Structures are given as structure tokens and as C-alpha cells.
Amino acid sequence: MIFLVAAFLLLGFLVGTAAHIPLPATFAAAAAIGAWLLVFAVRERKHHRQGS
């Protein structure tokens, strides 16, 4: 859960800096965060299915 909070904080930081960095860098950072959250969600789903 702490990782999810950290991801939201990082996302908020990046949204705040999006006005100051180039658009391709913003998209790259957003894609990296999105991929990380997707991997996290898949791992959590797999973990909960194995636990049942």
C-alpha cells in the first residue's frame, strides 16, 4: 500500500512539473508510472488468486 501512496505522490509531483519540462519527457514519465502501476496491479491480483 505504501508503494501506491508513493506512486500517487510521484504522479502529483510530475503533474506539477509538467508545465516546466518538455512534453516528450512528461509522456515518458507518465508511461513509466503507468507501467509500474500495471505491474503492481497484476502482481496483487495474482497474489490474491493464489491465496484463495
Side-chain angles (χ1 to χ4, degrees):
M1 189 65 174
I2 190 72
F3 297 114
L4 192 57
V5 172
F8 282 132
L9 286 173
L10 184 60
L11 181 62
F13 177 75
L14 288 175
V15 168
T17 60
H20 304 287
I21 60 174
L23 196 58
T26 303
F27 286 143
I33 292 171
W36 183 74
L37 287 174
L38 181 63
V39 168
F40 178 78
V42 168
R43 289 180 65 205
E44 284 295 312
R45 185 177 176 103
K46 183 179 177 185
H47 174 72
H48 286 291
R49 283 190 174 185
Q50 288 178 349
S52 298

